[in-house]
Amino acid sequence: MSTGVNLKELAAELKLSPSTVSRALNDSYEISEATKKKVISMAEKLNYQPNPFARSLRENKSKTIAVVIPERMSNFFSKVVDGIEEVTQEHGYHLLVYCTHEDVDREKKIVNLLMNGRADAIVMSVSSQTSDISHLTRLHERGFPLVFFDRICPAIPTTKFITNDYESGFEGTKHLIQQGCRKIAFLMLSKELSITKERHRGYLDALRQAGLSPEPQLNITCCQEEEENIESIRRLLTGPNRPDGILSSVEKLALATYHAVKRTDLKIPNDLKIISFFSNLSIASLLNPSLTTITQPAFSIGEECAKLLIKKLTKPRQPDLPNQVITIPSHITIRSSTIVL
């Protein structure tokens, strides 16, 4: 099976110069329509394969977009990457996916690497440890196209894609209250993240609207170690101030809660009702009992990030990315973890 010809071989077959063939393939106004048709027809016949690396060198572009995410195992981040790739592949761009593993030092090393020209643009969700943003400020000041999603950096003047964190936090809490919960715990990985602050703000406002006093001891900051989280939640569930409802700000803490409950005599949802904010777990309906979730439109967020950057990278004389926050709403799916049948 033929692997195709290169540009020089195609030009030789057409008895044209390689530069003329190249311009014809790129729809240059300098080349007549008749020549363009002749070149394209022969290219298809001989299975011409362009060299993307050579083109990248000529244009001083890598034709690559970097995606920086805090964790690889999250179903949410996987779907965002899928959404980005769906768009970038259509335009001949490739993805480099980097994982910070919630480590800000690793995040800084990745950013420094990318400033050396490894990618033409970056799509990023910051780590839970990111409070010093000097590395991100330097990246932006160099004119590097940078888009944030989910875990955004508000101080950097560029486009950020989020979901309606506050409203979803409010509605999730309200749902638990409507199911009879009066002592609701809020589980988080970091107090510093923009998404956590907004989800927590919605949680607090829903409690106050229902006439319930927020209890600081029910705000639990967890870590990256699964076993440590499970034991921390188990101690909460067996302590004197046991909650009757839990809102998990991320899906991994909802799963840790299921494991913790198994180490107690409690039953879901009779003794404890659970809702996971922004879970995209495909197995949520298969858990026993099935998990009530508020789901982010992860794939759509990825698509919108990519569309914005592709326009910036492929259209001439594009302005800087606007300093704006774009909200794509989430939706709640009620399942058995919050409903007593």
Side-chain angles (χ1 to χ4, degrees), residues 64-69 84 96 98 100 107 110-112 114-115 119-127 130 132-161 301 304-313 318-326:
T64 299
I65 293 175
V67 184
V68 184
I69 55 176
I84 295 171
L96 281 176
Y98 296 89
T100 66
E107 180 179 281
I110 291 169
V111 167
N112 288 334
L114 293 173
M115 276 195 277
D120 297 330
I122 297 177
V123 183
M124 185 174 189
S125 187
V126 301
S127 80
T130 303
D132 172 17
I133 61 167
S134 57
H135 58 299
L136 302 176
T137 300
R138 286 195 303 274
L139 186 66
H140 180 264
E141 288 175 347
R142 290 194 181 188
F144 212 95
L146 172 63
V147 169
F148 290 101
F149 73 94
D150 191 47
R151 303 179 181 187
I152 65 173
C153 185
I156 304 294
T158 188
T159 304
K160 303 116 183 154
F161 290 90
I301 288 175
E304 294 305 314
C305 288
K307 287 176 184 177
L308 184 68
L309 285 179
I310 288 295
K311 181 179 179 182
K312 170 69 175 173
L313 295 172
Q318 285 293 305
D320 291 340
L321 296 174
N323 183 21
Q324 62 181 342
V325 177
I326 299 174

Side-chain angles (χ1 to χ4, degrees), residues 17-282:
S17 70
S19 61
T20 297
V21 172
S22 177
R23 287 197 295 271
L25 291 170
N26 285 284
D27 197 25
S28 171
Y29 69 92
E30 301 173 296
I31 307 299
S32 69
E33 289 302 317
T35 300
K36 288 179 185 176
K37 290 180 180 178
K38 179 181 177 181
V39 169
I40 292 171
S41 176
M42 185 62 71
E44 292 176 349
K45 178 180 177 181
L46 299 179
N47 190 25
Y48 164 67
Q49 300 293 329
N51 185 336
F53 301 104
R55 173 174 289 185
S56 295
L57 290 171
R58 290 195 301 271
E59 297 176 351
N60 195 28
K61 293 181 179 179
S62 68
K63 298 289 284 186
T64 299
I65 293 175
V67 184
V68 184
I69 55 176
E71 55 178 312
R72 190 175 288 119
M73 298 304 292
S74 166
N75 190 262
F76 167 72
F77 291 116
S78 296
K79 286 184 178 293
V80 171
V81 172
D82 287 346
I84 295 171
E85 195 168 38
E86 181 79 9
V87 175
T88 56
Q89 280 191 340
E90 295 177 7
H91 297 270
Y93 276 77
H94 305 280
L95 296 188
L96 281 176
V97 182
Y98 296 89
C99 183
T100 66
H101 298 285
E102 303 286 11
D103 184 338
V104 69
D105 290 331
R106 187 186 294 249
E107 180 179 281
K108 290 177 180 179
K109 289 178 182 177
I110 291 169
V111 167
N112 288 334
L113 177 69
L114 293 173
M115 276 195 277
N116 293 328
R118 179 157 294 199
D120 297 330
I122 297 177
V123 183
M124 185 174 189
S125 187
V126 301
S127 80
S128 58
Q129 295 182 356
T130 303
S131 54
D132 172 17
I133 61 167
S134 57
H135 58 299
L136 302 176
T137 300
R138 286 195 303 274
L139 186 66
H140 180 264
E141 288 175 347
R142 290 194 181 188
F144 212 95
L146 172 63
V147 169
F148 290 101
F149 73 94
D150 191 47
R151 303 179 181 187
I152 65 173
C153 185
I156 304 294
T158 188
T159 304
K160 303 116 183 154
F161 290 90
I162 63 170
T163 190
N164 51 338
D165 294 288
Y166 170 82
E167 291 81 3
S168 296
F170 185 94
E171 291 302 318
T173 308
K174 182 179 176 181
H175 170 67
L176 286 177
I177 293 170
Q178 289 172 340
Q179 303 313 308
C181 296
R182 292 298 177 265
K183 294 178 73 66
I184 301 171
F186 184 88
L187 306 183
M188 65 190 111
L189 282 177
S190 171
K191 296 178 181 178
E192 302 301 322
L193 290 173
S194 57
I195 55 173
T196 305
K197 291 176 180 178
E198 286 300 289
R199 297 168 191 180
H200 190 249
R201 190 166 66 88
Y203 156 79
L204 293 176
D205 283 354
L207 291 178
R208 295 188 185 105
Q209 186 184 85
L212 300 174
S213 299
E215 300 183 47
Q217 63 270 33
L218 293 179
N219 295 282
I220 309 299
T221 302
C222 298
C223 64
Q224 296 303 317
E225 297 298 324
E226 183 180 30
E227 183 59 32
E228 189 173 333
N229 288 336
I230 293 171
E231 273 302 299
S232 178
I233 296 168
R234 185 196 64 78
R235 287 192 296 270
L236 174 69
L237 297 179
T238 56
N241 196 37
R242 181 179 71 80
D244 54 10
I246 281 184
L247 290 96
S248 172
S249 64
V250 291
E251 60 191 31
K252 69 189 300 180
L253 298 181
L255 294 179
T257 300
Y258 269 67
H259 285 296
V261 168
K262 287 185 177 181
R263 300 180 185 183
T264 71
D265 294 327
L266 301 175
K267 300 296 181 184
I268 306 172
N270 300 71
D271 304 309
L272 179 72
K273 296 174 178 59
I274 304 172
I275 183 169
S276 179
F277 291 172
F278 314 103
S279 174
N280 292 77
L281 278 171
S282 57

